[in-house]
Amino acid sequence: MAITPTKRELHSQETRKNIVDVAEKLFYQYGYKPVSVKEIAAAAGVTTGALYHHFKNKDDLIMAVFQRHDLSFGKLLERFDNSEDPIEDIVVFLSDVMVQRIEDDGMEFTQQRVLHLFKFDRVTGFDACLRSLIKRGLELDCFRPELSEDDLFDCLAAVYRGAVYQYCVSATPVDLRELTERRLRLTLEGVALSR
């Protein structure tokens, strides 16, 4: 039997959602650092105390934005469900889909995400998507048999995250798409079985 939320609980959920909506918009528009908790509260039409009732601090708030952002990963995997080339799927996922998300998010949002990297949800986000693609490749015998799912994940995630890190800290512009794809293809030559 489902329990129906009370009006108070519904109002609390709506307030939290509104705060995340406003914070996301302000972070995208002005960046993470320049936006204060007071500005977020004011733009959301709540008191600072109400904001702190829902979030411990600004870092907690940006994590809520990241979590919302990661909800789309489940639908993203559907794109690869019927593919017969898991190796190419990995390249497309990391160098096209993920790079497009980074370009859409902007540099500062991406920098904050890199700084919060170890707080990600490993079950529903990026990690789960990449692991799913690797599992398909293992099931279809696309990778060298001595390599485990964990080995492949560590290797491919490191290639992608290394490229994103370089993009975030480089003093000169970096073509993230080209860098990611080039590094992935070199890495995949070493771990994939000949096709």
Side-chain angles (χ1 to χ4, degrees):
M1 180 171 107
I3 298 175
T4 306
T6 66
K7 285 183 182 182
R8 185 178 190 162
E9 290 169 332
L10 289 172
H11 177 70
S12 179
Q13 291 169 5
E14 187 58 37
T15 300
R16 180 182 170 85
K17 179 188 175 306
N18 180 50
I19 293 169
V20 174
D21 289 344
V22 168
E24 182 174 22
K25 181 180 174 187
L26 292 174
F27 291 154
Y28 278 126
Q29 189 171 4
Y30 301 107
Y32 175 76
K33 291 178 188 173
V35 177
S36 71
V37 169
K38 283 184 177 184
E39 291 168 325
I40 295 167
V46 299
T47 65
T48 306
L51 187 144
Y52 281 123
H53 172 75
H54 293 280
F55 303 96
K56 291 184 291 190
N57 52 39
K58 195 163 96 170
D59 279 352
D60 192 32
L61 184 52
I62 199 166
M63 288 307 297
V65 173
F66 292 154
Q67 287 169 349
R68 173 188 287 175
H69 203 249
D70 288 349
L71 291 176
S72 64
F73 276 111
K75 289 185 179 183
L76 180 61
L77 275 177
E78 293 172 8
R79 173 179 177 177
F80 301 104
D81 278 350
N82 298 317
S83 170
E84 300 204 8
D85 191 350
I87 300 293
E88 191 59 27
D89 292 347
I90 289 169
V91 173
V92 169
F93 172 64
L94 294 175
S95 66
D96 287 342
V97 174
M98 290 305 300
V99 167
Q100 186 62 53
R101 286 180 76 141
I102 287 171
E103 290 172 351
D104 292 346
D105 289 345
M107 176 66 81
E108 183 158 354
F109 189 84
T110 299
Q111 288 171 332
Q112 288 304 315
R113 192 162 183 121
V114 167
L115 294 173
H116 291 84
L117 185 64
F118 298 109
K119 298 179 186 175
F120 286 166
D121 179 354
R122 305 268 185 223
V123 177
T124 61
F126 168 85
D127 290 19
C129 278
L130 182 55
R131 282 191 181 277
S132 177
L133 294 170
I134 290 168
K135 283 178 189 175
R136 277 183 50 82
L138 287 167
E139 290 166 4
L140 295 173
D141 297 322
C142 295
F143 295 110
R144 293 183 1 220
E146 70 273 17
L147 298 173
S148 71
E149 177 187 329
D150 287 339
D151 292 336
L152 291 163
F153 176 82
D154 289 344
C155 180
L156 296 171
V159 168
Y160 169 73
R161 289 178 173 147
V164 172
Y165 178 80
Q166 185 172 344
Y167 169 77
C168 287
V169 301
S170 180
T172 59
V174 171
D175 182 340
L176 182 57
R177 188 175 310 274
E178 185 279 327
L179 178 67
T180 304
E181 184 173 351
R182 181 172 44 83
R183 288 182 179 177
L184 277 171
R185 292 205 185 277
L186 286 169
T187 302
L188 287 165
E189 282 180 22
V191 297
L193 291 173
S194 298
R195 297 191 265 174

